[in-house]
Amino acid sequence: MKRTVLLALAAIGLASAAAADPIAGYDRFEVAAPHRAAPVAASVWYPVGTPTYRGLIGDNAVFEGSSAYVGAAIAEGRFPLVLLSHGSGGNMDSLSWLCSRLAIRGAMVLAVNHPGSTSGDSSPRRSIRLTERAADLKAALDQILADPAFGPHVDRSRIVSLGFSLGGATALNLAGAQMDRDLYRDYCARFGKEAPDCIFMTKGGVDLANLPDAFEGKMRDPRIAGAIAVDPGFSYAITETSIAAMALPVLLINLGGDERWMAGDVSARGSNLVGRLPHVEYATAAPANHFTFLALCKPGARERLAEEHDDPVCDDPAGANRAAIHEKIVERIAAFMKL
């Protein structure tokens, strides 16, 4: 009798916690990817039907993680699906703050770890192969749509690609953007010493005059109904022909004011992608910088990184409030997706 009462109280506690503090569902799986030597790690966030145990996703010594009900049953209904592409050196859990908030608002978020440009495995020579990154998400989309637990819950008319930094280029690639190696070579010749992406590529021995064919491939997926790119990489290298043909809606977001990440500045003073796309919405978030999009940093992380690695991922500009910027970005994405 006593055990029954305790179990009942525990169940009530779970339900109360879920009602007072909405938490998304989370699960992992492997994607069979013929273009890769091994399966690609993937994750999915989603609205919860039945809560399970709580896990902390993306938590580490530097960044705060996000709570999730791991392996929970998905809620009834059909939901828009976001295909999320992380930036260079990131991973599928590093943007858990964004994934969890979108899932709580009623979206599913499918993410992968891109081999060759993920945490601990970030190579300039492999990151430049843009067709492989797009193929990772195409394969993951194939698999989740065929999955009996998740596939029936996807609203196939509302599949959107979303990416940050290098992942922003991937999100635009899936929406139809195609790169030109000569345009990127010219961009680096002009801004090389000021452009962190060009510096990263040259440090890795990438020959900017002879980029691989995988940089220019056609990566459009007709299942994608819209795209969201935050400080997208390679924005200067997108061809005019592919831009003109992008009939789907696109949301572009820039972080920062006067001091923006050069490669991803899509405003008129940068690549002017905003002025060239046929159906575009544009938003900015400031005070902020490129790294403000990353998860909240733990107390003391900034000082430790400065001492040990000279890593700026926790360095926000004066007056910046990373948590407030995150909320602003979520609101803008939710409005674009009509969540």
Side-chain angles (χ1 to χ4, degrees):
M1 172 69 95
K2 193 176 290 185
R3 177 177 172 78
T4 303
V5 172
L6 288 173
L7 287 173
L9 288 173
I12 292 170
L14 266 178
S16 299
D21 182 22
I23 296 175
Y26 172 88
D27 214 338
R28 292 182 177 179
F29 58 99
E30 289 187 333
V31 173
H35 62 289
R36 298 290 191 184
V40 172
S43 66
V44 58
W45 293 78
Y46 50 91
V48 170
T50 306
T52 53
Y53 70 94
R54 290 174 64 159
L56 200 55
I57 311 302
D59 189 73
N60 56 43
V62 174
F63 296 117
E64 293 182 6
S66 301
S67 290
Y69 286 122
V70 179
I74 189 170
E76 291 297 322
R78 296 170 69 221
F79 310 101
L81 176 66
V82 175
L83 300 186
L84 179 66
S85 181
H86 64 72
S88 177
N91 62 73
M92 64 186 183
D93 293 333
S94 62
L95 297 177
S96 63
W97 67 267
L98 176 62
C99 299
S100 62
R101 284 169 170 81
L102 293 178
I104 288 168
R105 286 174 175 262
M108 298 171 67
V109 183
L110 174 63
V112 299
N113 282 344
H114 294 293
S117 60
T118 195
S119 301
D121 178 27
S122 185
S123 160
R125 289 181 298 279
R126 296 165 70 196
S127 296
I128 205 79
R129 301 173 191 166
L130 298 183
T131 56
E132 294 179 355
R133 291 180 120 253
D136 293 339
L137 282 168
K138 288 184 178 184
L141 179 57
D142 290 340
Q143 192 159 317
I144 201 166
L145 291 179
D147 186 276
F150 293 108
H153 293 281
V154 176
D155 182 343
R156 299 187 182 212
S157 69
R158 299 176 68 193
I159 300 175
V160 173
S161 59
L162 190 162
F164 166 61
S165 195
L166 178 57
T170 301
L172 294 173
N173 288 151
L174 289 168
Q178 190 172 357
M179 306 300 174
D180 183 292
R181 59 190 119 200
D182 292 339
L183 289 176
Y184 189 63
R185 177 203 61 204
D186 294 345
Y187 155 77
C188 285
R190 181 182 175 189
F191 297 110
K193 293 182 179 180
E194 303 170 18
D197 54 323
C198 301
I199 294 170
F200 176 68
M201 294 301 169
T202 53
K203 282 184 176 179
V206 174
D207 183 354
L208 296 175
N210 294 283
L211 294 179
D213 291 342
F215 180 73
E216 291 189 333
K218 292 182 179 180
M219 294 159 262
R220 171 79 172 109
D221 190 315
R223 296 170 293 186
I224 302 299
I228 303 165
V230 182
D231 280 3
F234 302 120
S235 68
Y236 286 79
I238 304 175
T239 67
E240 291 296 338
T241 301
S242 67
I243 289 172
M246 290 174 68
L248 45 66
V250 175
L251 170 62
L252 299 175
I253 300 176
N254 270 151
L255 293 158
D258 294 335
E259 298 298 326
R260 290 183 189 148
W261 188 62
M262 179 175 293
D265 187 353
V266 296
S267 71
R269 69 180 187 186
S271 64
N272 194 30
L273 196 55
V274 167
R276 295 150 62 203
L277 281 166
H279 304 289
V280 64
E281 297 179 27
Y282 181 55
T284 59
N289 62 27
H290 190 60
F291 301 111
T292 305
F293 193 73
L294 301 179
L296 299 183
C297 293
K298 290 184 174 179
R302 180 179 180 277
E303 291 73 21
R304 290 197 304 275
L305 288 172
E307 289 178 8
E308 300 171 10
H309 307 289
D310 192 26
D311 192 330
V313 295
C314 290
D315 293 349
D316 293 313
N321 182 324
R322 189 172 288 203
I325 292 293
H326 286 180
E327 290 303 323
K328 181 177 180 179
I329 290 171
V330 170
E331 291 292 337
R332 192 63 190 81
I333 292 172
F336 177 78
M337 294 185 63
K338 296 179 172 58
L339 294 180

